[in-house]
Amino acid sequence: MKKDRQLILALDVLSQERALELAEGLAGYFDAIKIGYPLILAAGLGIVGKVSRLAPVIADLKVADIPNTNRLICEQVLDAGAGGLIAQAFVGRDSLEACVKAARDRDADLYVVTEMSHPGALDFMAPLAERMAALAVEVDASGVVAPATRPERIRAIRSVIGRRVIISPGVGAQGGSARDALQAGADYLIVGRSVIEARDPHAAASALLQSLSP
Ligand code: BMP
């Protein structure tokens, strides 16, 4: 993924028409577009290929199954056009290795979830986040997902993963600050509702981009 803007759009809308309209209009502000279950379930897997003609797609399926099922899921979405995908670490090394292999075979990036951005992540994930980050390094993932809502946790996870990429959701609608997350060590911010649900998504994306320039 080219690091021009440090921004990834979370395209959490429920129609192909709206998704393509937003992707076409906003691709210039973002380095990649993240597509997850809401859009894929609403519009079908074909939306991955359609959006990938406009921007690199990260498939956010938070893959979390046994190795063989993980492989099948990853292959489906990568062969549909995704250039990257997101998997969960808590299912363990062998499951994650299946995702890494599927991604590597297709020159794609795998990002591993460490600690999520919502309050509930403190229940089970936070105490294990550093171990999950270490596992991401051990399986040679491209990077990790870490919470913009807790910049201090980005810092802690950065200290485990070295120079691997951190993509970070939680800015805007979830209350995280873009600047704080970047200062803590995030490489890319994942931003959804504060742009796509804004009255003027272009203006919102442009303002966000400008707010990041020094
Ligand atoms: P929003 O900016 O609207 O809050 O969107 C954030 C996006 O990042 C959503 O697609 C969400 O599923 C995803 N996400 C998150 O918010 N926190 C995480 O820890 C991991 C995510 O993938």
Side-chain angles (χ1 to χ4, degrees):
M1 181 169 34
K2 251 193 352 199
K3 196 170 169 181
D4 287 344
R5 298 175 181 81
Q6 301 186 289
L7 290 176
I8 296 168
L9 179 66
L11 195 54
D12 294 328
V13 294
L14 297 178
S15 87
Q16 169 164 303
E17 195 188 355
R18 183 68 180 142
L20 292 176
E21 182 188 19
L22 283 167
E24 259 163 36
L26 297 174
Y29 298 106
F30 294 88
D31 297 299
I33 295 180
K34 184 176 82 66
I35 298 180
Y37 288 104
L39 180 56
I40 291 175
L41 291 174
L45 185 56
I47 192 68
V48 172
K50 289 180 182 134
V51 173
S52 74
R53 284 179 216 123
L54 304 167
V57 167
I58 298 175
D60 180 8
L61 299 180
K62 296 195 180 66
V63 186
D65 213 308
I66 62 167
N68 186 61
T69 308
N70 271 7
R71 175 180 65 81
L72 295 171
I73 295 167
C74 294
E75 287 174 356
Q76 283 296 307
V77 78
L78 291 168
D79 291 346
L85 78 167
I86 296 175
Q88 292 281 16
F90 62 76
V91 275
R93 180 186 304 269
D94 52 354
S95 291
L96 217 43
E97 279 171 347
C99 300
V100 170
K101 182 171 183 326
R104 194 174 295 138
D105 286 350
R106 290 160 181 77
D107 258 342
D109 290 310
L110 181 80
Y111 302 98
V112 176
V113 178
T114 55
E115 175 179 321
M116 293 180 72
S117 57
H118 62 309
L122 301 177
D123 292 345
F124 299 112
M125 298 189 97
L128 295 173
E130 275 97 335
R131 277 177 65 190
M132 296 203 264
L135 184 58
V137 173
E138 285 163 30
V139 302
D140 199 19
S142 306
V144 301
V145 185
T149 46
R150 290 177 220 103
E152 74 284 2
R153 300 298 294 148
I154 295 179
R155 221 168 258 121
I157 287 160
R158 167 63 71 203
S159 75
V160 175
I161 65 159
R163 296 178 63 180
R164 268 164 233 268
V165 171
I166 297 181
I167 62 177
S168 186
V171 165
Q174 296 179 52
S177 141
R179 280 204 162 273
D180 290 353
L182 291 175
Q183 265 166 19
D187 294 292
Y188 298 90
L189 306 172
I190 297 171
V191 183
R193 286 166 289 174
S194 57
V195 169
I196 61 176
E197 291 181 5
R199 207 160 359 128
D200 182 345
H202 287 261
S206 170
L208 177 62
L209 193 55
Q210 269 177 22
S211 77
L212 303 183
S213 56

